[in-house]
Amino acid sequence: MTEFKFPEHSSELLKSLKEGRVLLGVTDGVERNLMTVAWGFIGYTWNRPVFIAMVRPSRYTHNFFRRSDVFSVNFMSEQWKDALTFCGTHSGRYFDKFKETGLTPSEGLTTSVMFVREAYAVLECRIVSREAITPLALNESIASSFYGDNSYHSLVMGEITDSYLLP
């Protein structure tokens, strides 16, 4: 494990995010879940580095974010395409995504954080804000293009507390 300080490696991390090669990892201390994402934000707010995840309330993972104060952002190489597809198309409500994909849960530097051992980079985040997107807050073209079903995302903002590359 090689620690780095954000924004080091940010171009590579953003490329993986845009390509949908990111897994959010979250646990409530009893159960754990992974969710594939291609939308998110890495940057600075309140003078701290943050990752903002977008999670729909209909997703099984959403409830984990209500019960947990931390999450991991796991950047995956292309070799894990099948696992990423599985984690993005199957609910953790019905499947143990680690068992089904061969991915390995590991304990993070912050002991309550769970990360994916096969990731090439990991951001450990402490939740600092949870906000629901509302129709009135969105530009109409975005609302009509992405929320025709009125299932608006929640924004989960996590302060990046640790970041590291894995061998």
Side-chain angles (χ1 to χ4, degrees):
M1 179 180 304
T2 305
E3 292 187 59
F4 67 91
K5 292 290 183 198
F6 182 80
E8 291 177 64
H9 305 286
S10 58
S11 293
E12 184 179 352
L13 301 179
L14 284 169
K15 181 177 188 246
S16 291
L17 180 63
K18 183 177 180 182
E19 293 175 359
R21 292 187 289 113
V22 174
L23 290 169
L24 296 180
V26 65
T27 181
D28 60 7
V30 177
E31 297 180 86
R32 59 185 180 229
N33 197 40
L34 297 171
M35 184 177 95
T36 303
V37 297
W39 293 0
F41 170 84
I42 305 172
Y44 288 94
T45 193
W46 301 313
N47 295 323
R48 51 186 90 193
V50 297
F51 183 90
I52 301 174
M54 300 175 70
V55 184
R56 291 183 193 264
S58 60
R59 297 292 296 258
Y60 181 62
T61 303
H62 193 270
N63 285 327
F64 282 85
F65 280 105
R66 288 189 194 150
R67 299 188 306 259
S68 180
D69 292 327
V70 294
F71 65 97
S72 65
V73 186
N74 303 272
F75 297 85
M76 309 298 291
S77 67
E78 290 190 29
Q79 99 181 55
W80 293 100
K81 180 181 177 183
D82 290 343
L84 288 157
T85 299
F86 185 89
C87 290
T89 58
H90 292 78
S91 175
R93 188 180 336 257
Y94 308 111
F95 295 94
D96 178 337
K97 293 180 181 182
F98 289 99
K99 180 180 174 188
E100 297 291 333
T101 62
L103 295 171
T104 310
S106 296
E107 190 173 280
L109 296 177
T110 303
T111 56
S112 59
V113 172
M114 177 270 306
F115 75 93
V116 177
R117 172 64 58 195
E118 292 77 12
Y120 73 81
V122 175
L123 305 177
E124 293 186 14
C125 298
R126 180 178 57 86
I127 297 174
V128 293
S129 178
R130 297 171 182 91
E131 300 291 329
I133 294 177
T134 63
L136 294 175
L138 282 179
N139 175 289
E140 175 56 35
S141 67
I142 293 172
S144 62
S145 295
F146 295 100
Y147 298 104
D149 62 355
N150 291 318
S151 176
Y152 293 86
H153 286 95
S154 293
L155 302 178
V156 181
M157 184 181 302
E159 177 181 2
I160 300 169
T161 57
D162 294 290
S163 47
Y164 42 90
L165 303 174
L166 296 171

